[in-house]
Amino acid sequence: MTQFNQKMVQFNLRRRIERGVLLLRRCISCFWEKLLICSLGKPIRYRMLPRSSVASPSPSVVEKASSTSSGNAMPPVCHHNHNHHHHLDADNLVALKISLLGDCHIGKTSFVEKYVGNENEQGGAQTEGLNLMDKTLSVRGARISYSIWEVAGDDKYQDNLPVACKDSIAILFMFDLTSRCTLKSVIRWYQQARKWNQTAIPIIIGTKFDDFIQLPIDLQWTIASQARAYAKALNATLFFSSATYNINVNKIFKFITAKLFDIPWALERNLTIGEPIIDF
């Protein structure tokens, strides 16, 4: 056998092994997805807000800064409990609460600061283990104020979960796309949050997409597959995001607004590896 033929045989053998590994990996991913769904039981569905007075609203949600042009501080964060049943009324401000949960050092603060922008330039309200920020939107003349509660990921701050999750209309479960252990923690955060809130819209968010796309393609595929399996098991929508490049940050909150007020807004599914995934 010539040296060329030997190399061809080795090449073909290597290709067969790679195909076998890929097939095995997909089978394991499928098995894991089914096992995860069975272990969590029936998915908990969130409660929709009433359509209220919005007959045929515009699909666009225009962000509006709540601070004045003179640089005054934003209105104080609302600490009282919120009722889930709100109406879009142009004469009133609808105050709603959103929770951010996830491990340490995954980019939660950078994510919310990117969304809030200049509205919080003087800093949000902070207590030990909690970071609170506000964002005001204008939807067809009505004003919506999102009070965003970010819980620190350290175990010593777990006591903040009840107050942070109670009465939230959406809970964002966040993980670092380059750290698989933070993805596995999503299940733990979800189970703890559901003890205090059974109706909030669940959203899983992978952060640092700009670092994620530097990983080998097979590792990207593995992480994306596992994240999609978790999202399916938890009946959650999945977004890959980047605060650095503002990828899907605003889109996530537009999605929440559209869901809450039944606003017709088309969210496009994207399952392409190497692109910011959106799965639902």
Side-chain angles (χ1 to χ4, degrees):
M1 182 180 291
T2 64
Q3 185 177 3
F4 175 77
N5 289 336
Q6 288 178 343
K7 289 183 178 180
M8 287 298 297
V9 170
Q10 292 174 356
F11 176 77
N12 291 333
L13 180 60
R14 187 166 62 251
R15 288 294 298 275
R16 289 175 185 172
I17 293 174
E18 289 175 351
R19 289 197 199 99
V21 171
L22 182 59
L23 180 60
L24 178 61
R25 187 176 292 165
R26 290 180 178 176
C27 291
I28 293 174
S29 177
C30 182
F31 172 77
W32 171 252
E33 177 180 330
K34 293 180 179 178
L35 181 63
L36 189 62
I37 292 173
C38 292
S39 64
L40 291 175
K42 185 177 180 181
I44 301 172
R45 297 189 177 276
Y46 57 85
R47 187 170 66 228
M48 288 287 293
L49 294 181
R51 188 179 180 88
S52 71
S53 59
V54 186
S56 56
S58 168
S60 61
V61 178
V62 182
E63 296 180 357
K64 178 182 179 182
S66 61
S67 58
T68 63
S69 58
S70 59
N72 293 334
M74 52 173 284
V77 177
C78 299
H79 294 277
H80 57 274
N81 294 339
H82 300 305
N83 191 321
H84 278 288
H85 299 284
H86 295 281
H87 300 277
L88 282 177
D89 187 342
D91 296 327
N92 297 312
L93 179 69
V94 180
L96 299 173
K97 179 179 173 183
I98 296 175
S99 304
L100 270 68
L101 307 180
D103 290 352
C104 298
H105 311 301
I106 61 172
K108 297 193 301 291
T109 302
S110 298
F111 174 86
V112 70
E113 286 180 347
K114 174 63 70 172
Y115 177 64
V116 171
N118 293 332
E119 287 193 38
N120 245 62
E121 56 187 6
Q122 296 189 13
Q126 291 186 346
T127 59
E128 190 173 9
L130 275 178
N131 182 27
L132 279 62
M133 297 188 186
D134 276 10
K135 178 72 174 182
T136 303
L137 309 177
S138 179
V139 182
R140 285 185 58 85
R143 291 189 303 149
I144 302 172
S145 177
Y146 284 135
S147 179
I148 304 172
W149 294 51
E150 175 200 343
V151 180
D154 296 320
D155 291 339
K156 62 182 179 180
Y157 298 126
Q158 296 299 298
D159 291 342
N160 288 324
L161 277 173
V163 66
C165 294
K166 187 177 180 181
D167 298 320
S168 291
I169 48 84
I171 301 179
L172 313 186
F173 302 96
M174 307 184 72
F175 70 97
D176 182 346
L177 282 165
T178 65
S179 173
R180 297 179 66 180
C181 64
T182 65
L183 172 57
K184 294 178 180 178
S185 295
V186 165
I187 297 295
R188 174 174 57 85
W189 286 107
Y190 178 89
Q191 292 172 335
Q192 293 180 7
R194 284 311 194 193
K195 294 177 182 178
W196 310 104
N197 190 318
Q198 294 285 318
T199 60
I201 299 172
I203 300 175
I204 297 178
I205 301 173
T207 63
K208 304 182 184 179
F209 175 76
D210 48 307
D211 294 330
F212 173 73
I213 56 175
Q214 305 301 323
L215 299 177
I217 193 68
D218 59 336
L219 184 55
Q220 291 185 44
W221 185 91
T222 300
I223 295 173
S225 298
Q226 188 175 5
R228 291 184 59 204
Y230 278 27
K232 184 176 181 180
L234 303 183
N235 193 34
T237 302
L238 173 67
F239 290 89
F240 284 9
S241 70
S242 168
T244 303
Y245 294 95
N246 200 14
I247 297 173
N248 281 342
V249 176
N250 294 326
K251 185 174 291 186
I252 290 167
F253 289 91
K254 288 182 179 181
F255 168 75
I256 294 172
T257 305
K259 281 289 185 183
L260 288 175
F261 298 103
D262 200 16
I263 296 175
W265 180 67
L267 183 67
E268 295 184 4
R269 200 173 185 221
N270 186 1
L271 304 181
T272 305
I273 301 298
E275 297 181 10
I277 284 178
I278 300 176
D279 193 17
F280 52 88

